[in-house]
Amino acid sequence: VYIDSCVVTVYTDDSVFVQPLTLTWSNGNLTNPANVATSNNVYATYVETSSGTSRYARWSTDAASKLPAQAVVVGFVMNVEYKVSTVASSPLLAAGPGSFGALGTATPITPTTADAIYKFGGPADALGAKTRSDVTMASIRYTQSTSTSTTHSVDWVAATVYWKYPSTGPNKLF
């Protein structure tokens, strides 16, 4: 047996790695979903006229190509730049990893009529995600509790995952 060279990368601590994710439109109720790629006051929109119905927008991510298979997700941040045409409809907005219903999500917030960036999750709040497969999708959910006609406008969406290598079990490094 002859070995010419060998490179070994050793992580000796519990380092947390930060990985911004690229989002690709998957499905949902928004018109012009490509408009969410940049923060530029050009919106993807949906006009809601009923109460109590949750609407969704979903994006696939490039987590499978950016994170190792054994990655342990410790945090997930989703930023959503968003506004509504009226607050009379009692609108709510939530965002998180995966398709809604499969994982825990952030507590819904009440958006305003002013364009604002809402942050869901955090470096130590994975919103229910644990593995690489949990962050291959990112979603927003918007709803309202009255039938007042309301335009829900999304200007920009971004997701970042915080991960580390497992420290125990069969997939640990050392």
Side-chain angles (χ1 to χ4, degrees):
V1 175
Y2 174 76
I3 298 175
D4 187 6
S5 67
C6 181
V7 175
V8 177
T9 303
V10 178
Y11 296 95
T12 59
D13 60 11
D14 206 17
S15 297
V16 173
F17 301 91
V18 180
Q19 181 62 59
L21 299 174
T22 301
L23 302 177
T24 303
W25 175 250
S26 179
N27 60 29
N29 303 102
L30 296 174
T31 58
N32 301 310
N35 290 348
V36 305
T38 59
S39 175
N40 60 1
N41 296 320
V42 178
Y43 300 91
T45 60
Y46 183 77
V47 177
E48 182 63 75
T49 57
S50 62
S51 63
T53 303
S54 290
R55 304 295 180 183
Y56 302 92
R58 295 177 185 95
W59 292 265
S60 60
T61 75
D62 58 349
S65 65
K66 297 275 179 89
L67 276 64
Q70 71 271 28
V72 175
V73 175
V74 296
F76 187 85
V77 173
M78 195 155 170
N79 290 305
V80 181
E81 190 170 357
Y82 189 88
K83 69 178 182 177
V84 290
S85 60
T86 180
V87 294
S89 61
S90 300
L92 292 173
L93 171 68
S99 292
F100 275 88
L103 295 171
T105 60
T107 302
I109 56 93
T110 301
T112 67
T113 57
D115 186 282
I117 296 175
Y118 299 98
K119 178 182 171 183
F120 298 92
D125 180 1
L127 298 173
K130 294 180 176 80
T131 66
R132 178 179 78 177
S133 64
D134 292 338
V135 295
T136 58
M137 296 286 291
S139 304
I140 64 171
R141 180 182 68 219
Y142 44 101
T143 189
Q144 59 192 49
S145 61
T146 73
S147 57
T148 303
S149 180
T150 304
T151 301
H152 296 260
S153 301
V154 183
D155 187 19
W156 172 70
V157 177
T160 302
V161 65
Y162 296 78
W163 65 276
K164 64 181 182 177
Y165 286 100
S167 57
T168 61
N171 291 321
K172 71 179 183 177
L173 286 180
F174 295 99

